[in-house]
Each structure stands twice: as structure tokens, then as C-alpha cells.
Amino acid sequence: MTPARTRKSKTRSRLERSSDGQVRSAPTIATDARGRPTRLYFGDFAGTVHAVDAATGEGIWRRSVRDHPDGTITGSVTLHDGRLFVPMSSTEIVSAINPDYACCTFRGGVTALAAADGRPLWRMHTTDAPRR
């Protein structure tokens, strides 16, 4: 294994230890005015966004963005102007294998959180709510 792959593997392992599920995307790095890393932000497969101290790996806050039983995060969280933009995805395709499952109810979307404390700012779905 190359040194770069070893570092990547160790970093992913640390992130997953501080999360609720697998981490399937790149972390986003926040830096101070001198360009030094201060926080890492990432989403996990359980649909939770995490903020951790870049130096220690200690958790700062965590926030679930799931609004569906099959909700997950598989894309990278993006940081801009004090806001985190979180892509919402799902594993509903697995649930839809069950012939009794009332497909398809997941709507996809993006959630914005305050980077400082994880407070929800807004949510936008990509499709309308399912009809009953």
C-alpha cells in the first residue's frame, strides 16, 4: 500500500469512528485566516453531518438531516460563507425490492446548516411530496 493510500485509509477510519455510519465521501476542511485546518465536516451513511476538530478529531457537533427512513449522505458536504450544503440521498431502491413497499417516497434534495453549530437553515427537495 502506498503512503498516500495508508494516510487516506487511516483518516477514513478516524472519521468513521466518530460517526454513526460509514463515511462514503470526502471531508470538507475549514481553515483559519492563515490557511491552517481548523475543522473537518463530513456526512455519514446514517444521514448525520459531523463537525470535528481538525487537529484532535474530537467531535464539535453532529446533526441528522434524515427526513426519510432510507435517507443517507453519499456526497461531499460543501462549505461556503459559514454554511454547509449537504446533499441528501437514499437507499430507497433497496426497500423497493419488497413488493409490499409503497415506492417511491424519497424526494432527494439539499439541506443547509450553519457551520458554527449545525443549526438547520433551510432544506430544498428536488421533487414534490408524494401523493397519498
Side-chain angles (χ1 to χ4, degrees):
M1 191 177 289
T2 66
R5 283 189 69 105
T6 301
R7 276 193 306 276
K8 183 178 178 183
S9 177
K10 286 180 182 176
T11 299
R12 184 164 304 281
S13 177
R14 281 188 206 132
L15 294 178
E16 287 180 351
R17 278 197 301 271
S18 64
S19 71
D20 299 325
Q22 290 181 329
V23 177
R24 295 186 170 202
S25 59
T28 295
I29 303 169
T31 58
D32 64 16
R34 296 177 66 187
R36 295 179 297 213
T38 56
R39 288 184 178 185
L40 298 178
Y41 299 100
F42 62 95
D44 65 27
F45 203 66
T48 303
V49 180
H50 302 263
V52 300
D53 184 281
T56 66
E58 294 295 318
I60 298 170
W61 58 259
R62 63 175 54 199
R63 169 81 58 182
S64 175
V65 297
R66 285 179 82 172
D67 63 354
H68 187 278
D70 293 327
T72 187
I73 301 169
T74 57
S76 295
V77 173
T78 300
L79 174 65
H80 177 72
D81 199 24
R83 292 178 179 90
L84 294 170
F85 299 93
V86 183
M88 299 180 306
S89 185
S90 85
T91 60
E92 188 175 36
I93 191 167
V94 176
S95 298
I97 292 171
N98 179 345
D100 296 325
Y101 181 75
C103 190
C104 293
T105 58
F106 184 74
R107 298 165 45 194
V110 176
T111 297
L113 304 175
D117 57 12
R119 179 176 31 91
L121 301 173
W122 54 261
R123 178 178 302 238
M124 191 273 316
H125 289 101
T126 55
T127 63
D128 293 332
R131 294 182 184 149
R132 301 272 179 221

